[in-house]
Amino acid sequence: MIALTESTVRSSFVNVSLRERRAIVVPADLAEREWERLDYLGWRDPKSPLLAFIVADIDGTPVGLQLRQAEQPTRTRPQCSWCSDVTLPNDVVFFAARRTGSAGKAGNTVGTLLCAGFQCSANVRRLDPPAYLGHDVRAARDRRVEALRAHVDGFFRDLMTA
Ligand SMILES: [Zn+2]
């Protein structure tokens, strides 16, 4: 994704109130991020760790969503909905995000299982050992990156459709 600054990040949020927007703690290390290796930016509020934020490019515009970690709806070992094809080295937790507009004001949310520390971009870029002779591990990685971007895009679009 394209590099973001603090003010772009803060103004990108679409499912927050004015008060919530002012309270967002934007990461201080944005200038050091490897943006070309990120499909979305994700972080937690240091003072209130169940509160999380993600920003992604949607049609070339940064769009931010506030999420809240919630109780998992299932008891099975969860799999991240966004980087689903890899053997995950990290925890996966359930997040709920308020919808935009009047649906959100009425308490309508969308939920998804996500890597607890937003490691999806790193996970899909890990090169696995070849599964068989002639297996193109780089092409497989590129397909995982594409799939992750499609999942991110789909989630944002779903949430912004009232
Ligand atoms: Zn993930």
Side-chain angles (χ1 to χ4, degrees), residues 40 80-84 88 90 92 114-115 119-121 123 148:
Y40 71 94
C80 176
S81 304
W82 289 4
C83 61
S84 43
L88 289 175
N90 52 261
V92 170
L114 281 189
C115 292
Q119 300 96 329
C120 303
S121 293
N123 288 341
L148 169 58

Side-chain angles (χ1 to χ4, degrees), residues 9-25 43 51-54 63-68 97-101 104-105 159:
V9 166
R10 190 175 301 281
S11 56
S12 71
F13 283 84
V14 294
N15 69 340
V16 293
S17 67
L18 216 59
R19 194 170 53 84
E20 286 168 332
R21 184 187 305 280
R22 284 199 208 98
I24 295 170
V25 181
W43 74 97
L51 198 60
F53 309 92
I54 51 175
V63 178
L65 297 177
Q66 178 175 287
L67 313 174
R68 187 170 283 279
R98 198 189 304 144
R99 283 188 183 276
T100 56
K105 288 196 182 77
L159 202 137

Side-chain angles (χ1 to χ4, degrees), residues 9-125:
V9 166
R10 190 175 301 281
S11 56
S12 71
F13 283 84
V14 294
N15 69 340
V16 293
S17 67
L18 216 59
R19 194 170 53 84
E20 286 168 332
R21 184 187 305 280
R22 284 199 208 98
I24 295 170
V25 181
V26 178
D29 62 345
L30 290 178
E32 288 121 63
R33 300 283 174 140
E34 285 190 278
W35 295 98
E36 67 283 0
R37 294 173 63 81
L38 275 185
D39 308 292
Y40 71 94
L41 175 71
W43 74 97
R44 287 171 186 266
D45 186 321
K47 290 193 292 286
S48 167
L50 291 181
L51 198 60
F53 309 92
I54 51 175
V55 182
D57 281 334
I58 305 298
D59 291 332
T61 306
V63 178
L65 297 177
Q66 178 175 287
L67 313 174
R68 187 170 283 279
Q69 188 179 330
E71 287 294 310
Q72 257 141 235
T74 61
R75 296 184 60 180
T76 52
R77 192 178 179 278
Q79 193 179 41
C80 176
S81 304
W82 289 4
C83 61
S84 43
D85 289 341
V86 290
T87 320
L88 289 175
N90 52 261
D91 284 343
V92 170
V93 295
F94 187 75
F95 284 104
R98 198 189 304 144
R99 283 188 183 276
T100 56
S102 51
K105 288 196 182 77
N108 199 325
T109 61
V110 180
T112 188
L113 288 161
L114 281 189
C115 292
F118 309 106
Q119 300 96 329
C120 303
S121 293
N123 288 341
V124 295
R125 282 169 179 75

